[in-house]
Amino acid sequence: MEFSMIIVLCSTLLFSCTPLAYAQKVASPPAPTPTPSPAPAPSPPYVNLTDLLSVAGPFQNFLNYLESTKVIDTFQNQANNTDEGITIFVPKDDAFKNLKKPSLSNLTQDQLKQLILFHALPHYYSLSDFKNLSQVSPVSTFAGAGGYALNFTDTSGTVHLDSGWSKTKVSSSVHSTDPVAVYQVDKVLLPEAIFGTDIPPTPAPAPAPDTSPAADSPTSDDSAGAGSAPGKSPPNSSYRINGVGIWSQLVLAIAGVLVLFL
């Protein structure tokens, strides 16, 4: 019995050491190596619109309206938490000071909020993008479409905006790095949805000053003949001298005759 078990064990060890078993072990494919996943793209830097507008230019009036209407929160979320980004048109402080009619003081809080929303597009646009954007105008703003839309035209690289009430242009780029673009404009954008379509005509430009040369001053000859009748030239000096000579001779002749009779 013990001898049989020894033979079985030896046979098992011998089989496991044969070249066939060794070949089966060598031929087994290696385990696949996992492919490393690509590193995620870095997220764009956070843009603080309050800080940007505070230091970038004379935009304090617009910033005050952003904060009082809470629109700053809407713009800030669009700038940093969406893939679309945002484009903002910021009027200078002088634009609010020069706005006489219509006045913003008569607007309700909701109308004022819509007016501030009207100054932004819910997408990032570089300056070069406006050339194509002008072909699809009018463009909806954050305030909506229709009476809250803006028309764009690109003239030799200068971007012009038209809301009906306001016609202005982009005068400078304050910040333009995807996903946030901030452009300076010279006028407050006034939507037709708030102020109506009865837009007063644009005043005609002041006439240019007359730069034509003055009429030629009269010459001495013209002055001398100003009092003479038309078509007659004034008597000259030789005519007057000849007249005096004839009268002198006539007087002398008469005097001679009188002497003879006396």
Side-chain angles (χ1 to χ4, degrees), residues 240-257:
R240 290 194 296 269
I241 293 172
N242 291 336
V244 173
I246 293 172
W247 280 106
S248 299
Q249 294 175 5
L250 183 59
V251 170
L252 290 175
I254 295 172
V257 172

Side-chain angles (χ1 to χ4, degrees), residues 118 149-153 160-168 189:
F118 184 59
L150 279 171
N151 290 288
F152 295 92
T153 55
H160 295 264
L161 299 82
D162 186 356
S163 71
W165 282 85
S166 306
K167 293 178 174 61
T168 185
L189 302 179

Side-chain angles (χ1 to χ4, degrees), residues 13 15 41 52 68 83 91 105 146 160 174 213 216 227 238 261:
L13 291 173
F15 178 78
L52 177 62
S68 65
D83 295 332
S105 59
H160 295 264
V174 179
D216 295 338
S238 62
F261 281 101

Side-chain angles (χ1 to χ4, degrees), residues 199-217:
I199 302 170
T202 304
D210 187 7
T211 58
S212 59
D216 295 338
S217 58

Side-chain angles (χ1 to χ4, degrees), residues 88-120:
I88 308 174
F89 303 102
V90 186
K92 299 184 298 183
D93 286 343
D94 289 344
F96 289 93
K97 296 177 182 178
N98 296 332
L99 183 63
K100 305 300 181 183
K101 292 183 179 180
S103 174
L104 304 185
S105 59
N106 297 327
L107 299 182
T108 65
Q109 188 67 13
D110 184 64
Q111 288 175 327
L112 190 59
K113 180 178 181 179
Q114 288 296 102
L115 182 138
I116 300 303
L117 288 170
F118 184 59
H119 285 73

Side-chain angles (χ1 to χ4, degrees), residues 57-77:
F59 306 130
Q60 191 59 47
N61 286 337
F62 185 74
L63 181 57
N64 290 341
Y65 282 118
L66 280 174
E67 293 175 339
S68 65
T69 58
K70 307 299 182 183
V71 174
I72 186 66
D73 298 332
T74 303
F75 286 178
Q76 193 70 70
N77 179 71

